Amino acid sequence: MAKTPENNAKTTEITGKNDVFNDVLSSLKITGSVLLNEDYVSPWAVSIPQGKDLPGSGQNTHVAAFHLVRRGVIEIELENGSREIVCEGELVVCFSASAHTLSQGKGVSPRPFMQIMQEGENIFKPDKETFAQSASLICGTFMLHNTFLNPLFESLPPLLKVTKKQGNYYDVSTTATIIELLQKEIDQYSCAHGFIIARYLELLCAKTIQQYTRNLPSNRSGWLQAIKDPLISQLISDIHLHPANSWSVKEMAKRVALSPSRFAARFSNAMGAAPMSYVTQWRIYQAIKLLNDTRDSVEQISLQTGYENVAAFGRAFKRNTGISPGKWRKERGADISRLKRRSRV
């Protein structure tokens, strides 16, 4: 099909939105791990600790527990008392990393998950007579990095449930295929077993997030809603690519051919935040990644993220994080002695 101006415009809109989403999703550097693959006969209950107490947690790593029900029906209860029924073929991800309890049936005290991991004994294992009534689970973790101030991560719900009825045919069938491949790989040990499972888990987490974004109601504001607006999405892409620019409402409005007042209203309605607030959030997010991953000095990082001097950068950083850039690097950043200096081109 020949590319008409109209087709080119549509392609640009789609590409702009996807580039923004892809870049921010990629910055989370998602990895995954399977911790449990068991059958439990009712009644049973297992308590899952907070993400910080699960394997894989670290200074800059957010651990979200996930639970995939292969057979049966279970209940998940969060710390705040809210409950969710999870049926066969459904997946639930606790992005809030809060403690929660999995159960089937009543009258059983929850057994600590880490105790199950350490002892390796399944006291709820069904026999031949009770197998058909048991539940089969795959439990594990998604490890997400660089989550602090990440606009995509901040848009995710505390508990995300993926069902067979959620989304269009493509989303449902693709997610089901990933789950099926994951289950087959878990059940049959082979060469590159661990590597392949990790890749399937990365795909599953990314697809879960994508499926959630596709089904957001149109009247909700926030980052995920804002990137659906072609003008706002393109502007967000520019901000992400050039955080050091001298951004202002007037400059941003000029780029999208709107008056400053109309632009500010459109941006705020879609994003739920003022334009310059988002610029600051993205600059500090980039600064955090540079503090974590490079040996660049605080002064260099301040210039790379759009601040004319270290003092202004330090004030903005502390307003958004509660601590100074130097303290962040000391307490939460990587060991800079082990990092290579980035080449200057």
Side-chain angles (χ1 to χ4, degrees):
M1 181 179 69
K3 286 193 174 182
T4 65
E6 181 182 358
N7 288 332
N8 278 327
K10 289 181 179 179
T11 301
T12 301
E13 290 175 10
I14 294 170
T15 302
K17 179 178 72 175
N18 287 344
D19 283 349
V20 170
F21 185 88
N22 291 343
D23 289 345
V24 178
L25 178 62
S26 297
S27 71
L28 291 173
K29 298 179 181 178
I30 299 168
T31 56
S33 177
V34 172
L35 302 178
L36 193 70
N37 178 30
E38 289 285 5
D39 299 321
Y40 290 150
V41 65
S42 180
W44 60 268
V46 175
S47 59
I48 313 296
Q50 294 181 9
K52 65 181 181 64
D53 297 320
L54 286 169
S57 179
Q59 285 282 24
N60 298 300
T61 304
H62 181 92
V63 176
F66 74 82
H67 310 289
L68 172 62
V69 179
R70 306 181 72 172
R71 184 183 67 255
V73 178
I74 71 166
E75 182 178 74
I76 178 170
E77 182 177 0
L78 300 181
E79 287 179 307
N80 61 10
S82 62
R83 300 184 178 192
E84 188 77 51
I85 300 297
V86 190
C87 301
E88 182 175 327
E90 295 182 343
L91 170 75
V92 64
V93 186
C94 189
F95 281 113
S96 68
S98 61
H100 52 282
T101 301
L102 308 177
S103 65
Q104 185 184 38
K106 305 292 183 182
V108 178
S109 297
R111 192 165 184 227
F113 181 77
M114 296 310 297
Q115 182 181 340
I116 294 174
M117 292 285 295
Q118 291 167 3
E119 296 178 357
E121 181 185 2
N122 182 1
I123 64 172
F124 304 118
K125 189 173 183 177
D127 54 28
K128 290 182 179 180
E129 294 181 356
T130 58
F131 183 81
Q133 290 77 43
S134 65
S136 181
L137 301 173
I138 294 176
C139 299
T141 54
F142 293 132
M143 282 76 78
L144 302 96
H145 306 79
N146 304 315
T147 56
F148 188 75
L149 294 181
N150 181 289
L152 171 56
F153 180 78
E154 290 186 343
S155 302
L156 297 176
L159 188 71
L160 178 54
K161 179 181 173 183
V162 179
T163 74
K164 295 179 180 179
K165 299 178 181 179
Q166 184 183 51
N168 57 38
Y169 173 78
Y170 169 76
D171 282 335
V172 172
S173 60
T174 303
T175 303
T177 299
I178 296 171
I179 289 174
E180 182 182 358
L181 291 170
L182 172 65
Q183 292 178 148
K184 286 182 178 179
E185 190 62 37
I186 289 173
D187 290 340
Q188 55 182 20
Y189 186 85
S190 61
C191 60
H193 179 74
F195 178 85
I196 292 172
I197 287 177
R199 301 294 82 74
Y200 284 150
L201 289 174
E202 291 172 24
L203 281 173
L204 182 58
C205 186
K207 188 62 188 176
T208 297
I209 294 172
Q210 183 196 57
Q211 193 167 334
Y212 169 74
T213 64
R214 289 185 196 270
N215 293 285
L216 279 176
S218 58
N219 61 350
R220 182 180 298 182
S221 64
W223 187 82
L224 290 172
Q225 197 63 40
I227 64 172
K228 293 181 180 180
D229 182 321
L231 291 181
I232 302 300
S233 178
Q234 185 56 55
L235 180 62
I236 291 173
S237 179
D238 291 344
I239 293 169
H240 287 192
L241 288 171
H242 308 289
N245 278 11
S246 298
W247 292 107
S248 66
V249 172
K250 185 176 180 180
E251 169 62 23
M252 288 186 270
K254 183 179 178 181
R255 289 189 178 227
V256 295
L258 292 174
S259 69
S261 59
R262 286 189 63 191
F263 161 72
R266 181 166 171 171
F267 188 99
S268 299
N269 288 338
M271 182 72 75
M276 288 308 298
S277 294
Y278 184 76
V279 171
T280 299
Q281 177 180 341
W282 185 254
R283 283 172 168 172
I284 301 304
Y285 179 67
Q286 290 300 307
I288 287 172
K289 291 203 297 178
L290 291 169
L291 287 168
N292 291 344
D293 302 334
T294 75
R295 296 181 64 181
D296 293 354
S297 68
V298 171
E299 182 178 5
Q300 289 172 320
I301 292 172
S302 68
L303 293 173
Q304 292 172 57
T305 52
Y307 293 93
E308 295 181 354
N309 56 71
V310 174
F313 171 60
R315 288 192 296 270
F317 192 94
K318 191 168 185 177
R319 276 198 306 271
N320 283 270
T321 66
I323 59 176
S324 68
K327 191 172 183 180
W328 178 283
R329 172 169 272 171
K330 183 178 180 180
E331 294 183 354
R332 301 189 61 173
D335 181 359
I336 62 173
S337 66
R338 302 171 69 180
L339 296 173
K340 295 180 180 179
R341 290 193 180 277
R342 296 186 302 161
S343 60
R344 304 291 181 183
V345 180

